[in-house]
Amino acid sequence: MIIEFTLNNEKVKMDVEPTMRVLDLLRNDLGMSSVKEGCGEGECGACVILVDGRAMNSCMLPAGAIVNRSIVTLEGFKHTEQFKVIEAGLLKAGSVQCGFCTPGFVMAIESLLNQNPDPTDEEIKEGLSGNLCRCTGYNMIIKGVRLAIEKGAGLW
Amino acid sequence: MKESISTSVLRVDSRKKIRGEAEYISDWKFENMLYAKTVRSTKAKAKITAIKLPDIPKDYYVVDRNDVPGVNRMRTVVSDHPIFAEEDVQYIGQPILLVVGPDREIIYKIVSQIEIKYQEEEALFTLEEAEKRSTVFTDYNYKKSDPKKAFEQAVRIIEDEYSTGYQEHVYLEPQGIAAEYKDDTLFVYGSMQCPFYVKNALLETMALPEEKIRVVQTVTGGAFGGKEEFPSLNGCHVAVATHKTRQPVVMIYDRDEDILCSTKRHPSITRFKAGLDEYDQIIALDIDVLLNAGAYNGLSPVVLQRAIFSATNVYNIEHLNVRGRNFMTNLVPSGAYRGFGAPQTIFGIEMMFQDIALILGIDPLEYKMRHLLKQNDPTCTGGSIHEEVKMKEIVQKAVEQSDYYNKLKTNKKYQGIGISLFLHGCGFTGKGETLIKGKIILQKNKDVVILKVSSVEMGQGAETVLPKIVAHTLDIPIEKVIYETVDTGLIPDSGPTVASRTTMIVGGLLRECALEMKARWDEAETFEVSKIYKHPDFLHWDDDTFHGDAYPVHSWGANVAEVEIDPITYELTIKKITAVFDVGVPIDERALIGQMQGGIVQGIGWATIEVMKTANGKLIQKNLTDYKIPTSMDVPGIDCDFVLNPYEFGPFGAKCAGELSFVGSPPAVAAAVENALGKPIKDIPITPEMLMEIDNDH
Ligand code: FES
Ligand code: FES
């Protein structure tokens, strides 16, 4: 089936199996290697992308589900102001260890702040609860989000 | 004034990771690359009677034991695991053959058409069965003083038994590995902790000369011990496949396959018999440690050594009889996991102290403090505690910061607080370091310094901390110190990235090199300084009798856990952890706190929600839907603090840290649960079902 969607603000048109995972489409056919596969079953959030601004696990999305929708991956998002602020927060808080979870977290943080620009710590925890990190124990990621919120007031 | 070494710097690797630009092995592309999928045993113990292959299309290959050019065994401490199964299989998930080819869909189709016929045999799975049938791989024993006589003289004897379960590493990046030939040199690339282990395994399995093998570590998405010995197995798999096909071969596991076949933390039982004198002091201990090693012994013997050498934890017990056994069962082999056997026995002894104190009606913390080791005391193996022991200061801080005694008094039922004391022996056990003889090179190239070590970055921060030690010594910016990718063809063997040895041992060597380089800085534009590890002379160890200094030095700590139990659902909430550590001197405080918090949360997971069980040799929890690890919703606030205690032989006074972080939270949580329910906890993981049963058992 021929599908059309936008990827990082560019139109894409391609012929795919409608049941193919968006994760594979992005990684294998479109070279979006920031999108990671940690579990392939919707549990870890390493594969999170934005679909119309909302975080979704791309391993659970069939290609047929993104027709005419706007997809953003870190390859596109890293050029935005919001990204710079999130990056600065994560750097400063020491939120990154092995880094395999990090791209998914960055996208989930953007989605969270899109919906709730001023979350409490509890709301941050809840908003990121679909993303697993085995290295940090989360405290320093939450702190990174806090720093981003302080620095990026008004951006979201 | 120059900044202290503990002042944090930005991690060298964090920017590229935040930007999604770090290239893990699954992001690598090779020209003409083939994929590989492993066909595995579906039986726990069986003879393979026939393998029926479908027609294999052109450009597709089946790779099995007949393709192994050298030895069909994975080289490790005990080289007993076949690279590919031979006549029999010993566990579900054991690799039998690979299907290799250019298109993954077609590979899966071929795999689904392969028929393997088995003749099943009686298998065994639990430690209890294994003990009954004496399927012992390794049986160790050591004694201190005269336990027999001490037990005769004891006025009271108390016995108890504690158990711990499996733990899956869940490094977020599943195992991944690739191989290719460049001219006639074999290259293996992948996610790993120990490139030289993989190289040594390849030497035997591929029967190639040393200079024809290069192993290159790629960005590694977490490891925790799970990528210590395992990549020697999948590394040999792709190497044999590339040898047969003469094309690059890539093999990335999905999570289910990873959980099915990768190593796990050894399930354990630890039995204690304590002999008390008339003052209630424990004068003698009989300790019996049982580990479930799974189907192959692998590196289980050294895990068992650390388990039994840590079994008396921070306590000075005069008379000891310690036995440790690894048992063979028909389960996936257990292996290295952060703490390496020590968390199992330390959980046991911490709970034993707590339980005996409660029986005696003494405050558990006070009872523990009465038995504490001091400087120059003998260790359990008859070595010596060479370092100053700052446990009193550590405990005082933890108690004050958590308001421990106040909460202990005012907590209502279903609220609990508990404390654990613990240590970790730094570096390899016994003679390990002298056998490895880690070598490192520091190279000056004009104003840049290149650091050549085989310690890998796997998330723990080596790529930042090691250059920082050099930069700080030479008084140059950290940007001027280049940490070279670990490639066994270009880097000396400074030993594996294990045993919390990287900062202390390898960092210590780097510090020595850097000091020499500093003294000779103006000598030339480019020159090299190299050092080989030398064990301090005052350390003695006898591998046959297990007598002497099992570890050169220890790191120490105390954790306080606060919990709450829902009286209806029995759901357990960890409210807060207060942790105080002595790791010598922190090399980078933020990086260190990251390590400590991560380890504490892994420990909480192991003690509570990480349930992994088997039924007839099959894992019941097969994926991350069934096997839960802590999420952001499960973690408490964690306060971390450090007590400074510089170690003469560590760089800037640093000791070990990475594993220490894991050891304390499980017994602290269990002690807090005991406090909340007023009933003893003897087994982890602590599940709501278990709590309900304990609470309602009168
Ligand atoms: S890979 Fe998609 S949620 Fe884990
Ligand atoms: S940094 Fe390793 S999983 Fe999050």
Side-chain angles (χ1 to χ4, degrees):
Chain A
M1 129 185 198
I2 307 276
I3 63 167
E4 277 183 60
F5 56 96
T6 64
L7 173 61
N8 299 324
N9 288 326
E10 282 182 34
K11 284 225 169 317
V12 180
K13 189 171 171 181
M14 55 196 300
D15 189 3
V16 297
E17 285 288 327
T19 54
M20 177 183 195
R21 304 187 302 174
V22 171
L23 171 68
D24 296 326
L25 183 110
L26 290 171
R27 280 185 62 83
N28 303 339
D29 300 322
L30 296 164
M32 301 290 117
S33 59
S34 77
V35 188
K36 302 296 183 210
E37 175 164 357
C39 70
E41 56 210 16
E43 293 291 338
C44 78
C47 65
V48 164
I49 56 169
L50 298 182
V51 181
D52 293 338
R54 287 239 176 192
M56 294 194 124
N57 290 327
S58 62
C59 70
M60 301 301 282
L61 272 183
I66 60 166
V67 175
N68 294 331
R69 301 180 91 178
S70 158
I71 305 296
V72 175
T73 68
L74 197 45
E75 281 79 358
F77 181 62
K78 72 181 174 190
H79 302 295
T80 64
E81 279 309 303
Q82 285 85 342
F83 171 78
K84 281 190 195 122
V85 172
I86 294 172
E87 179 182 47
L90 298 183
L91 282 174
K92 194 152 176 222
S95 318
V96 181
Q97 291 190 27
C98 84
F100 201 76
C101 69
T102 312
F105 267 100
V106 172
M107 303 315 289
I109 293 166
E110 164 66 7
S111 168
L112 165 72
L113 297 181
N114 263 337
Q115 290 159 62
N116 181 359
D118 190 22
T120 61
D121 278 0
E122 271 319 296
E123 286 168 339
I124 296 175
K125 283 186 171 189
E126 215 178 300
L128 301 181
S129 63
N131 291 71
L132 296 179
C133 174
R134 190 58 151 170
C135 299
T136 64
Y138 304 102
N139 277 254
M140 288 164 98
I141 298 180
I142 294 158
K143 189 163 164 216
V145 179
R146 271 267 146 259
L147 293 177
I149 294 169
E150 276 162 32
K151 207 169 165 218
L155 259 186
W156 284 281
Chain B
M1 206 187 84
K2 195 167 149 180
E3 290 213 312
S4 137
I5 188 78
S6 305
T7 306
S8 305
V9 298
L10 280 191
R11 276 183 71 121
V12 173
D13 54 344
S14 50
R15 209 175 282 274
K16 68 174 193 235
K17 286 175 173 172
I18 297 174
R19 294 171 168 257
E21 291 160 2
E23 292 194 342
Y24 300 83
I25 187 67
S26 54
D27 304 325
W28 283 46
K29 297 272 177 288
F30 299 86
E31 217 171 301
N32 292 323
M33 86 185 199
L34 304 177
Y35 296 97
K37 175 82 188 158
T38 313
V39 173
R40 301 178 179 281
S41 167
T42 54
K43 303 291 176 226
K45 184 171 167 63
K47 289 232 146 39
I48 298 177
T49 53
I51 298 180
K52 244 179 82 196
L53 300 175
D55 284 338
I56 305 293
K58 189 174 162 295
D59 299 330
Y60 289 81
Y61 306 85
V62 167
V63 178
D64 65 13
R65 64 172 167 129
N66 300 313
D67 300 303
V68 175
V71 183
N72 187 36
R73 287 288 181 282
M74 180 187 100
R75 175 164 163 187
T76 179
V77 175
V78 180
S79 305
D80 56 352
H81 195 300
I83 303 293
F84 295 108
E86 294 167 0
E87 280 77 29
D88 59 22
V89 284
Q90 296 295 331
Y91 67 96
I92 292 174
Q94 182 168 347
I96 298 173
L97 55 84
L98 302 183
V99 177
V100 180
D103 186 308
R104 276 177 284 193
E105 294 302 319
I106 298 176
I107 293 174
Y108 290 139
K109 203 167 146 216
I110 297 170
V111 167
S112 71
Q113 291 167 344
I114 293 177
E115 262 179 74
I116 300 180
K117 295 240 178 322
Y118 300 95
Q119 187 185 329
E120 280 191 75
E121 295 172 356
E122 195 193 338
L124 86 163
F125 307 113
T126 64
L127 273 175
E128 290 79 0
E129 291 170 83
E131 190 183 18
K132 237 182 256 152
R133 288 170 49 183
S134 298
T135 57
V136 187
F137 271 138
T138 322
D139 190 343
Y140 290 137
N141 180 248
Y142 71 88
K143 285 188 176 51
K144 185 180 152 206
S145 308
D146 194 346
K148 193 162 170 271
K149 200 159 139 222
F151 274 111
E152 283 163 13
Q153 287 168 355
V155 298
R156 187 164 183 173
I157 288 178
I158 299 179
E159 292 186 63
D160 230 324
E161 178 175 313
Y162 301 89
S163 81
T164 65
Y166 264 133
Q167 187 175 28
E168 175 64 34
H169 303 83
V170 197
Y171 29 69
L172 217 62
E173 177 208 25
Q175 304 276 356
I177 198 105
E180 69 171 341
Y181 273 102
K182 281 195 205 162
D183 298 322
D184 57 350
T185 300
L186 172 69
F187 280 77
V188 170
Y189 314 88
S191 186
M192 62 182 75
Q193 292 175 240
C194 314
F196 279 92
Y197 280 4
V198 179
K199 181 189 164 187
N200 293 338
L202 290 167
L203 275 173
E204 293 190 4
T205 295
M206 302 310 292
L208 283 170
E210 178 106 36
E211 63 283 3
K212 296 287 181 217
I213 297 176
R214 276 166 72 173
V215 179
V216 182
Q217 187 238 5
T218 54
V219 181
T220 296
F224 317 114
K227 293 170 184 172
E228 178 167 339
E229 71 274 35
F230 192 84
S232 298
L233 184 62
N234 61 359
C236 286
H237 286 160
V238 286
V240 175
T242 214
H243 178 77
K244 178 162 188 173
T245 62
R246 291 280 147 177
Q247 275 172 260
V249 176
V250 178
M251 185 164 68
I252 312 291
Y253 289 168
D254 62 25
R255 183 61 64 182
D256 294 17
E257 181 172 19
D258 191 299
I259 291 179
L260 173 75
C261 69
S262 68
T263 52
K264 298 168 196 352
R265 188 183 296 284
H266 293 72
S268 77
I269 294 174
T270 306
R271 297 182 188 130
F272 293 92
K273 183 169 111 184
L276 279 60
D277 67 9
E278 65 265 44
Y279 308 105
D280 294 332
Q281 196 76 1
I282 300 175
I283 49 167
L285 272 182
D286 191 290
I287 307 178
D288 189 15
V289 182
L290 291 74
L291 298 183
N292 191 335
Y296 294 96
N297 207 356
L299 54 69
S300 289
V302 280
V303 173
L304 182 63
Q305 286 183 15
R306 193 179 273 277
I308 59 174
F309 302 153
S310 308
T312 54
N313 196 17
V314 298
Y315 307 112
N316 186 2
I317 310 294
E318 202 181 333
H319 304 277
L320 284 174
N321 179 28
V322 183
R323 185 181 191 192
R325 281 169 291 168
N326 267 327
F327 286 95
M328 185 272 182
T329 59
N330 295 104
L331 295 170
V332 60
S334 304
Y337 194 145
R338 201 176 204 167
F340 214 67
Q344 287 93 322
T345 50
I346 288 181
F347 169 75
I349 192 157
E350 280 301 280
M351 300 320 289
M352 180 208 79
F353 262 94
Q354 169 105 359
D355 294 344
I356 293 180
L358 293 175
I359 292 171
L360 300 171
I362 304 173
D363 171 56
L365 179 55
E366 192 206 313
Y367 192 57
K368 289 179 183 181
M369 296 303 278
R370 276 199 214 166
H371 292 82
L372 217 51
L373 281 163
K374 320 181 287 303
Q375 186 167 25
N376 297 324
D377 275 351
T379 65
C380 56
T381 52
S384 179
I385 299 287
H386 299 286
E387 70 269 26
E388 190 185 345
V389 177
K390 295 205 168 176
M391 272 313 267
K392 287 205 176 117
E393 202 181 318
I394 292 171
V395 169
Q396 194 186 350
K397 268 196 176 193
V399 164
E400 277 170 16
Q401 284 172 19
S402 62
D403 198 14
Y404 175 78
Y405 277 109
N406 201 12
K407 287 178 182 158
L408 197 61
K409 262 190 246 128
T410 55
N411 270 345
K412 301 194 191 50
K413 182 155 190 203
Y414 300 115
Q415 292 178 323
I417 190 163
I419 188 165
S420 67
L421 315 187
F422 51 93
L423 53 63
H424 192 77
C426 301
F428 272 126
T429 301
K431 280 206 157 54
E433 291 296 347
T434 41
L435 294 177
I436 289 268
K437 285 203 193 63
K439 182 178 177 202
I440 66 149
I441 299 174
L442 205 58
Q443 220 170 42
K444 178 185 170 190
N445 194 347
K446 301 202 181 111
D447 68 334
V448 169
V449 173
I450 300 163
L451 184 158
K452 296 189 172 186
V453 298
S454 64
S455 306
V456 306
E457 173 63 60
M458 52 191 182
Q460 88 285 36
E463 193 176 345
T464 304
V465 164
L466 296 180
K468 187 178 176 187
I469 289 170
V470 172
H472 208 82
T473 306
L474 289 171
D475 253 324
I476 58 175
I478 191 168
E479 296 75 33
K480 295 283 181 196
V481 183
I482 314 288
Y483 164 92
E484 286 250 82
T485 302
V486 181
D487 171 340
T488 60
L490 306 174
I491 300 284
D493 185 358
S494 37
T497 320
V498 303
S500 307
R501 63 186 288 282
T502 299
T503 300
M504 186 178 101
I505 303 282
V506 179
L509 285 170
L510 280 168
R511 166 98 172 132
E512 275 179 50
C513 281
L515 282 170
E516 185 182 327
M517 181 172 278
K518 190 174 184 182
R520 295 171 45 196
W521 187 257
D522 293 324
E523 213 170 79
E525 284 268 281
T526 59
F527 67 93
E528 218 175 74
V529 183
S530 167
K531 296 250 183 265
I532 293 177
Y533 178 79
K534 222 182 128 288
H535 217 43
D537 287 336
F538 62 86
L539 298 170
H540 303 282
W541 179 254
D542 184 332
D543 239 344
D544 298 320
T545 58
F546 287 163
H547 190 85
D549 298 297
Y551 303 99
V553 68
H554 311 81
S555 282
W556 305 73
N559 283 357
V560 175
E562 294 168 52
V563 305
E564 225 170 80
I565 297 164
D566 184 307
I568 296 165
T569 63
Y570 287 91
E571 201 187 316
L572 175 65
T573 308
I574 318 289
K575 307 294 280 183
K576 175 133 208 221
I577 300 282
T578 307
V580 183
F581 301 104
D582 157 17
V583 297
V585 172
I587 293 296
D588 188 290
E589 217 161 81
R590 184 175 46 207
L592 184 62
I593 292 175
Q595 276 289 291
M596 301 332 260
Q597 292 188 339
I600 286 168
V601 171
Q602 268 181 25
I604 291 175
W606 181 51
T608 59
I609 58 174
E610 295 187 29
V611 179
M612 181 170 274
K613 297 213 152 120
T614 61
N616 296 322
K618 261 201 190 98
L619 293 171
I620 298 173
Q621 289 76 14
K622 296 187 283 295
N623 49 42
L624 293 187
T625 312
D626 307 333
Y627 186 76
K628 295 283 181 208
I629 65 166
T631 72
S632 51
M633 301 290 282
D634 301 311
V635 301
I638 302 170
D639 278 347
C640 273
D641 206 349
F642 302 97
V643 164
L644 294 184
N645 191 7
Y647 171 50
E648 191 188 340
F649 299 94
F652 298 98
K655 299 189 287 189
C656 61
E659 291 170 284
L660 180 77
S661 65
F662 183 93
V663 185
S665 63
V669 166
V673 171
E674 286 200 0
N675 178 239
L677 291 184
K679 302 261 177 74
I681 295 289
K682 304 201 184 285
D683 313 289
I684 52 172
I686 303 163
T687 60
E689 300 77 53
M690 188 172 137
L691 290 178
M692 190 178 298
E693 201 172 300
I694 292 173
D695 195 33
N696 295 320
D697 180 25
H698 296 288

